[in-house]
Amino acid sequence: MFDDDHLRKRAEQLRVDACDHYREAAKYDEQGRVIQAEEQRRAAARSTGRAEIYERIIGRRWSAMTIAWLVSADVDQAIKLFDRIDRVPAEELLTHADRDKHAAYRLESLQGSACDWAMANDLRNGAVSGIVSEVIRLEESGVGVNITALARMTGISRQTLHARLSAAR
C-alpha cells in the first residue's frame, strides 16, 4: 500500500489537483467571485502540502501505521515533524557509530521510532482533550469530578488534567 511507486503516483496526482485548484481560482477571480477563488487557493495549498508529505515519505522504511498517520495528519503538523527529523544529520545523531552499511538502517529505524513517538503523543493529546471535554460536560450538568481519582484511572498526571481543565474553562 505504501510502496514508493504508490507514493510517487499519489504525490503526482496531488500536484495535478493543486494545479486544477489554481486554474479554478483564476476563473473565479475573472468572474469576481473572491470567496470561491480563495477557497480554491486554500485547496491548492492543501494539495501541495499533502504532495510534499507523500514525497518526503518516499524511500523511508517506516511502519505502515506511522505512514498512514502522516498522510492523514494535519499538513502543517506532518511537515514540521519531517523538518524536525531531517534537521538532525546522521553525523550528529550517531556520534560514535562506524559508518558501516547498517548505520543508515539504524538511523532510519531511529527516525521511524521518533515519528512513532510523535504519533503516539498526538493521539495521547487527543485523548486528553476528549477527557477534558467529558469532565467539562459533567461539571456543566452539575456532577463533580474527582481529578485525583481521574488521574489515577487514566494515568494522566493530575497537574496536566488541572492545567488542561483550567485552560478549557
Coordinates of all heavy atoms in Angstrom, one line a residue, residues 74-142:
D74 N -2.6 16.5 10.2 CA -2.6 17.9 9.7 C -1.4 18.1 8.9 O -0.3 17.7 9.3 CB -2.7 18.8 11.0 CG -2.6 20.2 10.6 OD1 -3.5 20.8 10.0 OD2 -1.6 20.9 10.9
V75 N -1.5 18.8 7.8 CA -0.4 19.0 6.8 C 0.7 19.7 7.5 O 1.9 19.3 7.5 CB -0.9 19.8 5.6 CG1 0.3 20.2 4.7 CG2 -1.9 19.0 4.8
D76 N 0.4 20.8 8.2 CA 1.5 21.6 8.9 C 2.2 20.8 9.9 O 3.4 20.9 10.1 CB 0.9 22.9 9.5 CG 0.4 23.9 8.4 OD1 1.0 23.8 7.3 OD2 -0.5 24.7 8.7
Q77 N 1.4 20.0 10.7 CA 2.0 19.2 11.7 C 2.9 18.2 11.2 O 4.0 18.0 11.7 CB 0.9 18.5 12.5 CG 1.4 17.7 13.7 CD 0.2 17.0 14.3 OE1 -0.9 17.0 13.9 NE2 0.5 16.3 15.5
A78 N 2.5 17.5 10.1 CA 3.4 16.5 9.5 C 4.6 17.1 8.9 O 5.7 16.5 9.0 CB 2.6 15.7 8.4
I79 N 4.5 18.2 8.2 CA 5.7 18.9 7.6 C 6.7 19.3 8.7 O 7.9 19.1 8.6 CB 5.3 20.0 6.7 CG1 4.6 19.4 5.4 CG2 6.5 20.9 6.3 CD1 4.0 20.4 4.5
K80 N 6.1 19.9 9.8 CA 7.0 20.3 10.9 C 7.7 19.0 11.5 O 8.9 19.1 11.9 CB 6.2 20.9 12.0 CG 5.8 22.3 11.7 CD 4.9 23.0 12.8 CE 4.4 24.3 12.4 NZ 3.5 24.8 13.4
L81 N 7.0 17.9 11.6 CA 7.7 16.7 12.1 C 8.8 16.3 11.2 O 9.9 15.9 11.6 CB 6.7 15.6 12.3 CG 7.2 14.2 12.7 CD1 7.9 14.3 14.1 CD2 6.1 13.2 12.7
F82 N 8.6 16.2 9.9 CA 9.6 15.9 8.9 C 10.8 16.9 9.0 O 12.0 16.4 9.0 CB 9.1 15.9 7.5 CG 8.5 14.7 7.0 CD1 7.1 14.6 6.7 CD2 9.2 13.5 6.9 CE1 6.6 13.5 6.2 CE2 8.6 12.3 6.5 CZ 7.3 12.3 6.2
D83 N 10.5 18.2 9.2 CA 11.6 19.2 9.3 C 12.4 18.9 10.5 O 13.6 19.0 10.5 CB 11.0 20.6 9.4 CG 10.4 21.0 8.0 OD1 10.7 20.4 7.0 OD2 9.7 22.0 8.0
R84 N 11.7 18.6 11.6 CA 12.4 18.3 12.9 C 13.3 17.0 12.8 O 14.5 17.0 13.2 CB 11.4 18.1 14.0 CG 12.0 18.4 15.4 CD 10.9 18.5 16.4 NE 10.1 17.3 16.5 CZ 8.8 17.3 16.6 NH1 8.1 18.4 16.6 NH2 8.1 16.2 16.7
I85 N 12.8 16.0 12.1 CA 13.6 14.8 12.0 C 14.7 15.0 11.0 O 15.8 14.5 11.3 CB 12.6 13.6 11.5 CG1 11.7 13.2 12.7 CG2 13.4 12.4 11.0 CD1 10.7 12.2 12.3
D86 N 14.5 15.6 9.9 CA 15.5 15.8 8.9 C 16.6 16.8 9.3 O 17.7 16.9 8.7 CB 14.9 16.2 7.6 CG 14.1 15.1 7.0 OD1 14.3 13.9 7.4 OD2 13.3 15.4 6.1
R87 N 16.3 17.7 10.3 CA 17.2 18.7 10.7 C 18.4 18.1 11.4 O 19.5 18.8 11.5 CB 16.5 19.7 11.7 CG 17.2 20.9 12.0 CD 16.4 21.8 12.9 NE 15.0 21.3 12.9 CZ 14.0 21.9 13.5 NH1 14.1 23.0 14.1 NH2 12.8 21.3 13.5
V88 N 18.3 17.0 12.0 CA 19.4 16.3 12.7 C 20.1 15.4 11.8 O 19.6 14.3 11.4 CB 18.8 15.6 14.0 CG1 20.0 15.0 14.7 CG2 18.0 16.5 14.9
P89 N 21.3 15.8 11.4 CA 22.1 14.9 10.5 C 22.6 13.6 11.2 O 22.8 13.6 12.4 CB 23.3 15.8 10.0 CG 23.4 16.8 11.1 CD 22.1 17.0 11.7
A90 N 22.8 12.6 10.3 CA 23.3 11.3 10.9 C 24.6 11.5 11.6 O 24.8 10.8 12.7 CB 23.5 10.3 9.7
E91 N 25.5 12.3 11.2 CA 26.8 12.5 11.8 C 26.6 13.0 13.3 O 27.4 12.7 14.1 CB 27.7 13.5 11.0 CG 28.1 13.0 9.7 CD 27.0 13.1 8.7 OE1 26.1 14.0 8.8 OE2 27.0 12.3 7.7
E92 N 25.6 13.8 13.5 CA 25.3 14.4 14.8 C 24.6 13.4 15.7 O 24.9 13.2 16.9 CB 24.5 15.6 14.7 CG 24.2 16.3 16.0 CD 23.3 17.5 15.9 OE1 23.1 18.0 14.8 OE2 22.8 18.0 16.9
L93 N 23.7 12.6 15.1 CA 22.9 11.7 15.9 C 23.7 10.4 16.2 O 23.6 10.0 17.4 CB 21.6 11.3 15.1 CG 20.6 10.5 15.8 CD1 20.0 11.3 17.0 CD2 19.4 10.2 14.8
L94 N 24.4 9.9 15.3 CA 25.2 8.6 15.5 C 26.6 9.0 15.7 O 27.5 8.8 14.9 CB 25.0 7.7 14.3 CG 23.6 7.3 14.0 CD1 23.6 6.4 12.7 CD2 22.9 6.6 15.1
T95 N 26.9 9.6 16.9 CA 28.3 10.1 17.1 C 29.4 9.1 17.1 O 30.5 9.4 16.6 CB 28.3 10.9 18.5 OG1 27.9 10.0 19.5 CG2 27.3 12.1 18.4
H96 N 29.2 8.0 17.7 CA 30.3 7.0 17.8 C 30.1 5.8 17.0 O 30.7 4.7 17.2 CB 30.5 6.6 19.3 CG 30.9 7.7 20.1 ND1 30.1 8.8 20.5 CD2 32.1 8.0 20.7 CE1 30.8 9.6 21.3 NE2 32.0 9.1 21.4
A97 N 29.2 5.8 16.0 CA 29.0 4.7 15.2 C 30.0 4.6 14.0 O 30.3 5.6 13.5 CB 27.6 4.7 14.6
D98 N 30.4 3.4 13.7 CA 31.1 3.2 12.5 C 30.2 3.5 11.3 O 29.0 3.1 11.4 CB 31.7 1.8 12.4 CG 32.8 1.5 13.5 OD1 33.4 2.5 13.9 OD2 32.9 0.4 13.9
R99 N 30.7 4.0 10.3 CA 29.9 4.3 9.1 C 29.8 3.0 8.2 O 30.3 3.0 7.1 CB 30.5 5.4 8.3 CG 30.5 6.7 9.1 CD 29.1 7.2 9.4 NE 29.2 8.5 10.1 CZ 28.9 8.7 11.3 NH1 28.5 7.7 12.1 NH2 29.0 9.9 11.9
D100 N 29.2 2.0 8.8 CA 29.1 0.7 8.0 C 27.7 0.8 7.3 O 26.9 1.7 7.4 CB 29.2 -0.5 8.9 CG 28.1 -0.6 10.0 OD1 27.2 0.3 10.0 OD2 28.2 -1.5 10.8
K101 N 27.5 -0.3 6.6 CA 26.2 -0.3 5.8 C 25.0 -0.4 6.7 O 23.9 -0.1 6.2 CB 26.3 -1.5 4.8 CG 26.4 -2.9 5.5 CD 26.5 -4.0 4.5 CE 26.7 -5.3 5.2 NZ 26.9 -6.4 4.3
H102 N 25.1 -0.8 7.9 CA 24.0 -0.9 8.8 C 23.6 0.4 9.5 O 22.6 0.5 10.1 CB 24.2 -2.0 9.8 CG 24.5 -3.3 9.2 ND1 23.5 -4.0 8.5 CD2 25.6 -4.1 9.2 CE1 24.0 -5.2 8.1 NE2 25.3 -5.2 8.4
A103 N 24.6 1.4 9.5 CA 24.3 2.6 10.2 C 23.1 3.4 9.6 O 22.3 3.9 10.3 CB 25.6 3.5 10.2
A104 N 23.0 3.4 8.3 CA 21.9 4.0 7.6 C 20.6 3.4 8.0 O 19.6 4.1 8.3 CB 22.1 4.0 6.1
Y105 N 20.5 2.1 8.1 CA 19.3 1.4 8.5 C 19.0 1.7 10.0 O 17.8 1.9 10.3 CB 19.5 -0.1 8.3 CG 18.3 -0.9 8.9 CD1 17.1 -1.0 8.2 CD2 18.4 -1.5 10.1 CE1 16.0 -1.7 8.7 CE2 17.3 -2.2 10.6 CZ 16.1 -2.3 9.9 OH 15.1 -2.9 10.4
R106 N 20.0 1.7 10.8 CA 19.8 2.1 12.2 C 19.2 3.5 12.4 O 18.3 3.8 13.2 CB 21.0 1.9 13.1 CG 21.4 0.4 13.3 CD 22.5 0.2 14.3 NE 23.7 0.9 13.9 CZ 24.7 0.3 13.3 NH1 24.6 -1.0 12.9 NH2 25.8 0.9 13.0
L107 N 19.8 4.4 11.6 CA 19.3 5.8 11.6 C 17.9 5.9 11.2 O 17.0 6.5 11.8 CB 20.2 6.7 10.7 CG 19.7 8.1 10.6 CD1 19.7 8.8 12.0 CD2 20.6 8.9 9.6
E108 N 17.5 5.2 10.1 CA 16.2 5.2 9.6 C 15.2 4.6 10.6 O 14.1 5.1 10.8 CB 16.1 4.4 8.3 CG 14.8 4.6 7.5 CD 14.9 4.0 6.1 OE1 15.8 4.5 5.3 OE2 14.1 3.2 5.8
S109 N 15.7 3.6 11.2 CA 14.8 2.9 12.3 C 14.6 3.9 13.4 O 13.5 4.0 14.0 CB 15.5 1.7 12.8 OG 14.8 1.1 13.8
L110 N 15.6 4.6 13.8 CA 15.5 5.6 14.9 C 14.6 6.7 14.5 O 13.7 7.2 15.3 CB 16.9 6.1 15.3 CG 17.0 7.0 16.5 CD1 16.4 6.3 17.7 CD2 18.4 7.5 16.7
Q111 N 14.7 7.2 13.3 CA 13.8 8.2 12.8 C 12.3 7.7 12.8 O 11.4 8.5 13.1 CB 14.2 8.7 11.4 CG 15.5 9.5 11.3 CD 15.9 9.8 9.9 OE1 15.6 9.0 9.0 NE2 16.6 10.8 9.7
G112 N 12.1 6.5 12.3 CA 10.8 5.9 12.4 C 10.2 5.9 13.8 O 9.1 6.1 14.0
S113 N 11.1 5.5 14.7 CA 10.6 5.5 16.1 C 10.3 6.8 16.6 O 9.4 7.0 17.4 CB 11.7 4.8 17.0 OG 11.9 3.5 16.6
A114 N 11.1 7.8 16.2 CA 10.8 9.2 16.6 C 9.4 9.6 16.1 O 8.6 10.3 16.8 CB 11.9 10.2 16.1
C115 N 9.1 9.2 14.9 CA 7.8 9.5 14.2 C 6.7 8.8 15.0 O 5.6 9.3 15.2 CB 7.9 9.2 12.8 SG 6.6 9.9 11.8
D116 N 7.0 7.5 15.3 CA 6.0 6.8 16.1 C 5.7 7.5 17.4 O 4.5 7.5 17.8 CB 6.5 5.4 16.4 CG 6.6 4.5 15.2 OD1 5.9 4.8 14.2 OD2 7.2 3.4 15.3
W117 N 6.7 8.0 18.1 CA 6.5 8.7 19.3 C 5.7 9.9 19.1 O 4.7 10.2 19.9 CB 7.9 9.1 20.0 CG 7.7 9.8 21.3 CD1 7.6 9.2 22.5 CD2 7.5 11.2 21.5 NE1 7.4 10.2 23.4 CE2 7.3 11.4 22.9 CE3 7.5 12.3 20.6 CZ2 7.1 12.7 23.4 CZ3 7.3 13.6 21.2 CH2 7.1 13.7 22.6
A118 N 5.9 10.7 18.1 CA 5.1 11.9 17.8 C 3.7 11.5 17.5 O 2.8 12.2 18.0 CB 5.7 12.6 16.6
M119 N 3.5 10.4 16.8 CA 2.1 9.9 16.5 C 1.4 9.6 17.8 O 0.3 10.0 18.1 CB 2.1 8.7 15.6 CG 0.8 8.1 15.4 SD 0.8 6.6 14.4 CE 1.8 5.5 15.5
A120 N 2.1 8.8 18.7 CA 1.5 8.4 20.0 C 1.2 9.6 20.8 O 0.2 9.7 21.5 CB 2.4 7.4 20.7
N121 N 2.1 10.6 20.8 CA 1.9 11.8 21.6 C 0.7 12.6 21.1 O -0.1 13.1 21.9 CB 3.2 12.7 21.5 CG 3.2 13.8 22.5 OD1 2.8 13.6 23.6 ND2 3.7 14.9 22.1
D122 N 0.6 12.6 19.8 CA -0.6 13.3 19.2 C -1.9 12.6 19.6 O -2.9 13.2 19.9 CB -0.5 13.3 17.7 CG -1.6 14.1 17.0 OD1 -1.8 15.3 17.3 OD2 -2.3 13.5 16.1
L123 N -1.9 11.3 19.5 CA -3.1 10.5 20.0 C -3.3 10.7 21.4 O -4.5 10.9 21.9 CB -2.9 9.0 19.7 CG -2.8 8.6 18.2 CD1 -2.4 7.2 18.0 CD2 -4.1 8.9 17.5
R124 N -2.3 10.7 22.2 CA -2.4 11.0 23.7 C -3.0 12.3 23.9 O -4.0 12.5 24.7 CB -1.1 10.8 24.4 CG -1.2 11.1 25.9 CD 0.2 11.1 26.5 NE 1.0 12.2 25.9 CZ 1.2 13.3 26.6 NH1 0.7 13.5 27.8 NH2 1.9 14.3 26.0
N125 N -2.5 13.3 23.2 CA -3.1 14.7 23.4 C -4.5 14.8 23.0 O -5.3 15.5 23.7 CB -2.2 15.7 22.6 CG -0.9 16.0 23.3 OD1 -0.7 15.8 24.5 ND2 0.0 16.4 22.5
G126 N -4.9 14.1 22.0 CA -6.3 14.0 21.6 C -7.1 13.3 22.6 O -8.3 13.8 22.9
A127 N -6.6 12.3 23.2 CA -7.4 11.6 24.3 C -7.5 12.5 25.5 O -8.6 12.5 26.1 CB -6.6 10.3 24.7
V128 N -6.5 13.2 25.8 CA -6.6 14.1 27.0 C -7.6 15.2 26.7 O -8.4 15.5 27.6 CB -5.2 14.8 27.3 CG1 -5.3 15.9 28.3 CG2 -4.2 13.7 27.8
S129 N -7.6 15.7 25.5 CA -8.6 16.7 25.1 C -10.0 16.1 25.2 O -11.0 16.8 25.7 CB -8.4 17.2 23.7 OG -7.2 17.9 23.6
G130 N -10.2 14.9 24.8 CA -11.5 14.2 24.9 C -11.9 14.1 26.4 O -13.1 14.3 26.7
I131 N -11.0 13.7 27.2 CA -11.3 13.5 28.7 C -11.7 14.9 29.3 O -12.6 15.0 30.0 CB -10.1 12.9 29.4 CG1 -10.0 11.4 28.9 CG2 -10.3 13.0 30.9 CD1 -8.7 10.7 29.4
V132 N -10.9 15.9 28.9 CA -11.2 17.2 29.5 C -12.6 17.7 29.0 O -13.4 18.2 29.8 CB -10.1 18.2 29.0 CG1 -10.6 19.7 29.2 CG2 -8.8 18.0 29.7
S133 N -13.0 17.4 27.8 CA -14.3 17.8 27.3 C -15.4 17.1 28.1 O -16.4 17.7 28.4 CB -14.4 17.4 25.8 OG -13.6 18.2 25.0
E134 N -15.2 15.8 28.3 CA -16.1 15.0 29.1 C -16.3 15.5 30.5 O -17.4 15.6 31.1 CB -15.8 13.5 29.2 CG -16.0 12.8 27.9 CD -17.5 12.8 27.5 OE1 -18.4 12.6 28.3 OE2 -17.7 13.0 26.3
V135 N -15.2 15.9 31.2 CA -15.2 16.4 32.5 C -16.0 17.7 32.5 O -16.8 18.0 33.4 CB -13.8 16.6 33.1 CG1 -13.8 17.5 34.4 CG2 -13.1 15.3 33.3
I136 N -15.7 18.6 31.6 CA -16.5 19.9 31.5 C -18.0 19.6 31.3 O -18.8 20.3 32.0 CB -15.9 20.8 30.4 CG1 -14.5 21.2 30.8 CG2 -16.8 21.9 30.1 CD1 -13.7 22.0 29.8
R137 N -18.3 18.7 30.4 CA -19.7 18.4 30.3 C -20.4 17.9 31.5 O -21.5 18.3 31.9 CB -19.9 17.3 29.2 CG -20.0 18.0 27.8 CD -20.4 17.0 26.7 NE -19.4 17.1 25.7 CZ -18.7 16.1 25.2 NH1 -18.8 14.9 25.7 NH2 -17.8 16.4 24.3
L138 N -19.7 17.0 32.3 CA -20.2 16.5 33.5 C -20.4 17.6 34.5 O -21.4 17.7 35.2 CB -19.3 15.4 34.1 CG -19.3 14.1 33.4 CD1 -18.2 13.2 33.9 CD2 -20.6 13.4 33.7
E139 N -19.4 18.5 34.6 CA -19.4 19.6 35.6 C -20.6 20.6 35.2 O -21.2 21.1 36.1 CB -18.1 20.4 35.6 CG -17.0 19.5 36.3 CD -15.7 20.2 36.3 OE1 -15.4 21.2 35.5 OE2 -14.8 19.8 37.1
E140 N -20.8 20.8 33.9 CA -21.9 21.7 33.5 C -23.2 21.1 33.8 O -24.2 21.8 34.0 CB -21.8 22.0 32.0 CG -20.6 22.9 31.6 CD -20.4 23.0 30.1 OE1 -21.0 22.2 29.3 OE2 -19.6 23.9 29.7
S141 N -23.3 19.8 33.9 CA -24.6 19.2 34.3 C -24.7 19.0 35.8 O -25.7 18.4 36.2 CB -24.7 17.8 33.6 OG -23.8 16.9 34.1
G142 N -23.7 19.6 36.5 CA -23.9 19.6 38.0 C -23.2 18.4 38.7 O -23.3 18.3 39.9

